[in-house]
Amino acid sequence: MTRADSNTSTDYVDLAIIGSGPAGMAAAIDAAELGLRVAVIDEQPLPGGQIYRQVSQPALQDRSVLGPDYYYGESLVKQFSTAAIERIGNASVWEASANHLCLTRDGRSHQLHFKTLLLATGAQERPVPFPGWTTPGVMTCGAAQIMLKSSGLAPAEPVVIAGSGPLLLLVACQLLRAGIRIEALLETTPAANYRDALKALAGAVSGWRYLLKGARLMAELKRGGVNRRSGITNLRALADNQGKLDRISYHHRGREHQLACRTLLVHQGVVPNVQLSRALGIDHHWDELQQCWRPGIDRWGASSTANIFMAGDGGGIGGALVAELQGRIAALAIAAQRKQLSDSERDARAAPLQRELERQLAIRPFLDRLYRPAPAFLRPADETLVCRCEEVTAGEIRRIAREGCAGPNQAKAFSRAGMGPCQGRLCGLTVSQLMAEAREVPVSEVGYYRIRSPIKPITLGELAAMAAPTNPVKAARKSAQKG
């Protein structure tokens, strides 16, 4: 493989991939096999993304806790680790353009130039604003799963799990297998969602394997004696006199109930992580079914911006197997663009992948209708904090919208919402929906925050270090040799 000149301040690759989850790994493996020079940038020290986090060095000895879907990632990680790919781990991309990335690693900033860019940045958990969600002791199901995968740690007992979506059942079962006492599983899925999901029943029948998995998880929870309640509303987290989570309250069948707990795990599904795609100026549209913003990409993963592709949950939620297929399809398209394949060869290789992709996606309309979050989580009550960084409430967002604030970008000047370290990751969706509600217009008309660099926090020292000659690929290789 051709190496960059060590005396230059940049490196050049055919394909730069951001993210080493299933989409990023699959694309990198196939692109490298097709003769492209590939560099993969990831914030984590090990490949796998969130779904296969640390699968090559699992923290848990008992493989039954996380289950076979997690360990499926072992073979993909092994292929990725032995392929001719330059991996730049422990790195944060803080600026992206049409031909280069700026990233920080080991306290220094670097530039990486590319001919084609693939965003495989995955999903993030949907923000779950409700009264008390910022109380210490309240965390997301995804965060609890990261603790299990990374460190073999579990949240403090007693645990209550509340929300909606397939991950809710999976995390409950994983904690149960790890010996954690679950006080209750409270499902907030509105009853109307079940009727709406019937419209997509044909897709559900096609995706019967997913339904069977869900049925098995529910049966496992029942065998484990978990108190499972559906139709939950008015969820609140209540603190003790030291400000820590002490108990929760909720309504069930018209009556208020309270439960003592030390940990409340919440979840309302996942949404595409669009920070980088927004920063790159890729076209986005509002997905009414998934209640989120989605980048506009074609069947090959090509975006509205030349030479920038997307694959995986960052372009629309589909899950790990879908992400892997999309990564492979994007790799074929990129290789054809770089003249490593003819269009006919690309089409022939992609055909079985695209057929399998359609099969895997058949159940998505059913799941999206069934697990659409309750309105109380999309447009929370006035007293609920929406922007955690700047402590802006839902009521404040509604007020400024009624007073003439047109959208989220103007909201920064009116209230500082979205101005904190997360740059709107935890409030952007909610702010857009609250403003649309207050103005009585579609969310698509309100829009979203304009994402500016630096996309991730960067120190002046890291920025200044980029003035010195640096090479991110060479730096990553040296770091790996030291390790």
Side-chain angles (χ1 to χ4, degrees):
M1 182 184 298
T2 303
R3 305 298 185 188
D5 183 353
S6 62
N7 293 319
T8 64
S9 61
T10 59
D11 198 13
Y12 296 83
V13 295
D14 296 315
L15 173 61
I17 300 175
I18 302 178
S20 60
M25 288 191 293
I29 293 165
D30 288 8
E33 287 180 353
L34 289 167
L36 298 181
R37 186 181 180 200
V38 182
V40 180
I41 305 97
D42 195 84
E43 292 186 346
Q44 302 303 321
L46 296 172
Q50 300 296 351
I51 186 68
Y52 303 134
R53 177 185 284 264
Q54 210 157 315
V55 71
S56 59
Q57 298 178 17
L60 294 169
Q61 297 300 310
D62 185 352
R63 293 172 73 95
S64 69
V65 173
L66 294 174
D69 286 349
Y70 171 68
Y71 289 101
Y72 168 86
E74 281 182 317
S75 60
L76 189 60
V77 169
K78 185 175 180 180
Q79 291 178 61
F80 176 77
S81 300
T82 56
I85 299 162
E86 298 285 5
R87 184 171 189 276
I88 307 173
N90 287 315
S92 291
V93 175
W94 56 266
E95 182 180 82
S97 75
N99 59 18
H100 78 274
L101 303 172
C102 293
L103 56 102
T104 60
R105 189 179 190 278
D106 296 332
R108 299 176 65 89
S109 283
H110 311 266
Q111 275 194 353
L112 176 67
H113 284 246
F114 56 80
K115 295 175 182 176
T116 304
L117 174 66
L118 174 66
L119 300 181
T121 49
Q124 64 174 68
E125 280 192 274
R126 184 190 299 275
V128 191
F130 66 95
W133 73 308
T134 60
T135 305
V138 179
M139 59 193 297
T140 65
C141 285
Q145 199 178 52
I146 287 172
M147 288 171 56
L148 270 178
K149 293 175 180 178
S150 299
S151 309
L153 298 176
E157 299 177 285
V159 175
V160 173
I161 303 177
S164 181
L167 185 63
L168 201 75
L169 300 176
L170 176 60
V171 169
C173 286
Q174 289 173 336
L175 291 176
L176 198 63
R177 296 167 197 159
I180 302 302
R181 179 165 64 94
I182 300 173
E183 194 71 20
L185 177 66
L186 308 176
E187 295 185 344
T188 62
T189 305
N193 286 19
Y194 293 91
R195 295 189 295 272
D196 190 44
L198 291 176
K199 299 174 184 176
L201 191 58
V205 173
S206 300
W208 62 270
R209 292 174 182 82
Y210 289 96
L211 297 180
L212 182 60
K213 281 183 182 181
R216 286 173 174 168
L217 291 174
M218 287 188 282
E220 183 177 347
L221 292 173
K222 186 175 182 179
R223 289 194 302 271
V226 175
N227 177 21
R228 180 169 162 256
R229 291 188 172 185
S230 58
I232 299 302
T233 60
N234 296 95
L235 180 67
R236 289 176 175 268
L238 305 171
D240 59 19
N241 55 14
Q242 295 181 326
K244 297 179 181 179
L245 180 67
D246 176 61
R247 65 197 188 284
I248 65 164
S249 71
Y250 62 93
H251 286 192
H252 182 243
R253 295 179 179 175
R255 296 181 58 188
E256 183 178 355
H257 301 265
Q258 290 198 2
L259 276 176
C261 64
R262 291 185 63 194
T263 302
L264 170 62
L265 302 180
V266 293
H267 181 72
Q268 291 292 335
V270 295
V271 295
N273 181 350
V274 298
Q275 297 296 103
L276 269 171
S277 55
R278 285 271 181 185
L280 283 161
I282 292 171
D283 292 340
H284 289 69
H285 67 271
W286 178 253
D287 187 321
E288 187 64 27
L289 196 56
Q290 290 192 352
Q291 289 289 290
C292 63
W293 297 100
R294 289 183 60 170
I297 53 176
D298 67 15
R299 64 196 291 260
W300 299 101
S303 75
S304 59
T305 301
N307 300 321
I308 298 180
F309 287 71
M310 298 189 70
D313 283 348
I317 304 305
L321 297 180
V322 166
E324 184 178 342
L325 289 166
Q326 289 175 336
R328 297 192 186 283
I329 291 169
L332 291 171
I334 293 165
Q337 186 185 71
R338 302 255 65 87
K339 306 303 181 184
Q340 298 294 114
L341 284 177
S342 68
D343 288 351
S344 59
E345 288 176 312
R346 175 202 63 189
D347 294 347
R349 294 191 186 200
L353 300 175
Q354 288 169 335
R355 285 195 295 271
E356 178 62 18
L357 181 62
E358 288 179 8
R359 190 179 74 83
Q360 292 288 342
L361 287 172
I363 198 172
R364 286 313 312 182
F366 175 83
L367 295 177
D368 293 341
R369 290 177 184 275
L370 179 60
Y371 293 121
R372 179 172 173 158
F377 295 103
L378 299 175
R379 298 175 294 277
D382 281 352
E383 70 272 17
T384 307
L385 275 181
V386 169
C387 177
R388 300 178 64 146
C389 300
E390 299 295 334
E391 298 187 335
V392 181
T393 65
E396 177 71 0
I397 297 299
R398 288 189 174 100
R399 182 186 65 79
I400 63 175
R402 294 186 185 111
E403 291 179 355
C405 182
N409 287 306
Q410 292 85 351
K412 294 178 182 180
F414 277 74
S415 68
R416 289 191 57 81
M419 295 284 284
C422 87
Q423 294 201 51
R425 288 176 181 84
L426 292 179
C427 69
L429 281 174
T430 309
V431 168
S432 291
Q433 292 191 308
L434 287 171
M435 299 194 84
E437 175 199 55
R439 292 181 50 203
E440 299 181 349
V441 298
V443 177
S444 56
E445 183 175 328
V446 168
Y448 190 74
Y449 292 123
R450 185 177 297 109
I451 307 301
R452 302 180 185 275
S453 299
I455 299 162
K456 292 291 181 73
I458 179 175
T459 67
L460 287 175
E462 289 170 336
L463 187 60
M466 195 164 66
T470 58
N471 183 310
V473 170
K474 186 176 181 180
R477 198 179 303 127
K478 283 185 176 180
S479 178
Q481 290 170 350
K482 289 179 181 178

